[in-house]
Amino acid sequence: MKIQALMLKNFMLFEDARFDWSDNINIICGENSTGKTTLLKVMYSLLKPISKGSPEMATKEMAERSFVEKLQGVFRPDEMKIGRLVSRVQGSNRAEFCAILDKKQKISMGFGSRQENHADIKLDLSENGQSFDAIYIPTKEMISTTQYFNSLYEQYHIDFEEMYYDLNKLLERPLSKGPNTSEQNEVLHSFEKIMKGQIIQKDKKFYLKMKGKGEFEMGLVSDGYRKLSMIIYMILSGSLNKDTILFWDEPETNMNPKMIQPIVKALTVLARMGVQIFVTTHDYFVQQEFNMLSVYPELNINNLDLRFISLYFDDDSDRLTYEMKNSSSDLAHNAIMHEFDAMYDREQGFIYDI
């Protein structure tokens, strides 16, 4: 399963947009509050209800409830009124969005600004069922809280978006049987080389086992290592495999720049396995590591397709707009590089007293 395109109309910041995605790697950049995370969330909300292991939707009413509840859980609007996700204008308005999938499949959803828990859903899906999974990795890690998080989330109203709960359920899965594939081992080697250890689970608690130093509970490990540990365990358990669509929101959060190159390398191996990847970033190193893959063929021997998306507000109309290119070097509006250049110019001004 691949997402070929996403169309949004009057949904939050997006008045009218269409994004044509790469089957391999998509890198989304832009300043704060330009809708980067929104894109990940809306695609995840449309795909998760039909992913592997999701309840069957035997009736139209069941389908509507499933999609509406996922949208509510992921975006958490006030009082869970989905109408609050419609672009704000004077009077009433209506949001519509659609994910176009491979094999001519499509998921469409629409609702008005006055709706609370009702939406119009249209599904054009294969009758053979879905064998893919959608995984969302948020900016906060979850592996240090797995032991009690699910029971708390299910019994109490705690202020976490639902993808944290979904992720925690994946981390509760046992390890898969049988040997790893060569691609899995390559990804695992890249991550474990950074961490200098292996991830183990005991009674729903995770530890980093380091040679000659023993086992360290995740609460004692850095936040960056915890995020890498989540990836490693989901590969070992079989949750993250060739039939996965991976959404990773700002992988650079709490990461030393030295860790970025191996992370990008591992994501590249996942893409070669068949994983479709969506990454948001504010980071120069993340963007440039991916950009080198797109610019230098010797680094991209498998000819992976990389798509760079820049979100920005037009200076004249103050409307949110976007551009999509096959390298970040070709982006006319690149907030990361613009700030990098501005900082360089400021430093030159001090050096040469300009």
Side-chain angles (χ1 to χ4, degrees):
M1 175 70 71
K2 307 290 183 187
I3 311 173
Q4 295 186 339
L6 174 70
M7 294 181 287
L8 301 167
K9 186 173 183 180
N10 299 325
F11 184 79
M12 298 183 69
L13 292 173
F14 296 95
E15 292 184 29
D16 192 3
R18 175 180 172 126
F19 299 91
D20 292 293
W21 304 114
S22 164
D23 286 350
N24 303 138
I25 302 174
N26 301 275
I27 305 98
I28 305 168
C29 61
E31 297 181 12
N32 287 331
S33 299
T34 53
K36 299 184 301 297
T37 300
T38 296
L39 292 179
L40 300 192
K41 284 183 173 181
V42 72
M43 288 189 285
Y44 181 76
S45 298
L46 287 172
L47 288 171
K48 193 62 178 177
I50 63 165
S51 64
K52 183 169 53 179
S54 298
E56 293 291 332
M57 294 180 285
T59 67
K60 182 179 179 180
E61 290 74 20
M62 292 173 64
E64 178 187 320
R65 184 169 65 250
S66 180
F67 282 96
V68 168
E69 288 179 352
K70 180 55 67 175
L71 197 70
Q72 291 170 325
V74 168
F75 282 93
R76 300 187 69 84
D78 278 357
E79 301 177 13
M80 291 299 182
K81 296 179 179 179
I82 60 172
R84 296 188 61 81
L85 302 176
V86 180
S87 299
R88 308 293 173 87
V89 297
Q90 189 172 3
S92 61
N93 201 4
R94 179 177 172 83
E96 296 179 348
F97 42 96
C98 173
I100 300 174
L101 313 175
D102 53 12
K103 301 177 183 178
K104 298 182 179 180
Q105 300 181 92
K106 185 185 297 186
I107 308 170
S108 303
M109 189 171 185
F111 48 86
S113 54
R114 296 175 183 174
Q115 296 295 149
E116 296 186 10
N117 54 14
H118 168 73
D120 298 314
I121 309 294
K122 184 177 180 181
L123 304 177
D124 296 315
L125 300 173
S126 169
E127 296 181 358
N128 297 327
Q130 308 303 329
S131 60
F132 76 97
D133 206 349
I135 295 178
Y136 192 115
I137 301 179
T139 53
K140 301 182 184 70
E141 59 83 20
M142 287 301 298
I143 200 166
S144 63
T145 60
T146 52
Q147 191 172 21
Y148 303 112
F149 183 85
N150 281 1
S151 59
L152 289 172
Y153 194 92
E154 291 163 0
Q155 296 180 41
Y156 301 97
H157 293 288
I158 57 176
D159 195 21
F160 274 82
E161 296 152 320
E162 195 166 307
M163 54 270 202
Y164 288 94
Y165 175 60
D166 293 340
L167 179 60
N168 206 66
K169 287 191 291 185
L170 292 179
L171 292 172
E172 286 190 341
R173 289 181 179 178
L175 295 179
S176 59
K177 293 182 178 180
N180 298 322
T181 65
S182 58
E183 291 88 354
Q184 285 176 315
N185 284 330
E186 188 175 351
V187 181
L188 291 169
H189 176 73
S190 182
F191 281 136
E192 290 175 350
K193 185 178 179 182
I194 303 173
M195 302 179 66
K196 300 180 175 63
Q198 296 179 324
I199 309 305
I200 59 174
Q201 184 203 60
K202 296 178 181 179
D203 300 322
K204 295 186 179 181
K205 291 184 69 175
F206 288 87
Y207 300 83
L208 174 63
K209 184 178 182 179
M210 303 183 71
K211 189 175 181 179
K213 296 184 179 180
E215 300 172 358
F216 295 85
E217 50 268 52
M218 280 296 159
L220 302 180
V221 178
S222 72
D223 193 62
Y225 277 17
R226 294 177 204 172
K227 291 174 76 173
L228 295 184
S229 299
M230 291 191 301
I231 294 280
I232 291 172
Y233 191 79
M234 285 190 290
I235 294 172
L236 289 171
S237 67
S239 299
L240 181 50
N241 56 52
K242 63 182 180 64
D243 297 315
T244 302
I245 300 174
L246 176 64
F247 304 97
W248 195 346
D249 198 2
E250 298 181 18
E252 69 271 10
T253 304
N254 295 322
M255 295 284 188
N256 187 295
K258 186 178 179 180
M259 300 170 71
I260 298 301
Q261 192 271 340
I263 289 173
V264 170
K265 180 180 177 182
L267 287 173
T268 302
V269 177
L270 286 174
R272 292 207 309 264
M273 285 171 52
V275 178
Q276 186 180 23
I277 295 171
F278 295 86
V279 168
T280 67
T281 186
H282 288 289
D283 187 74
Y284 169 81
F285 295 99
V286 171
Q287 189 182 81
Q288 287 304 105
E289 285 289 347
F290 279 120
N291 191 54
M292 285 194 292
L293 286 173
S294 68
V295 173
Y296 300 107
E298 58 269 32
L299 297 178
N300 186 10
I301 58 176
N302 296 93
N303 295 317
L304 293 174
D305 178 34
L306 284 84
R307 201 75 49 88
F308 293 82
I309 301 90
S310 174
L311 301 169
Y312 62 95
F313 286 98
D314 182 74
D315 292 334
D316 297 326
S317 64
D318 200 34
R319 292 178 58 184
L320 179 64
T321 187
Y322 57 93
E323 60 177 323
M324 305 183 74
K325 301 291 183 181
N326 289 112
S327 75
S328 66
S329 306
D330 293 331
L331 292 172
H333 302 83
N334 188 336
I336 296 172
M337 287 306 301
H338 289 172
E339 185 54 34
F340 183 89
D341 293 340
M343 183 175 66
Y344 176 81
D345 291 341
R346 291 196 300 272
E347 183 180 22
Q348 294 302 300
F350 283 116
I351 293 173
Y352 297 106
D353 195 24
I354 298 174

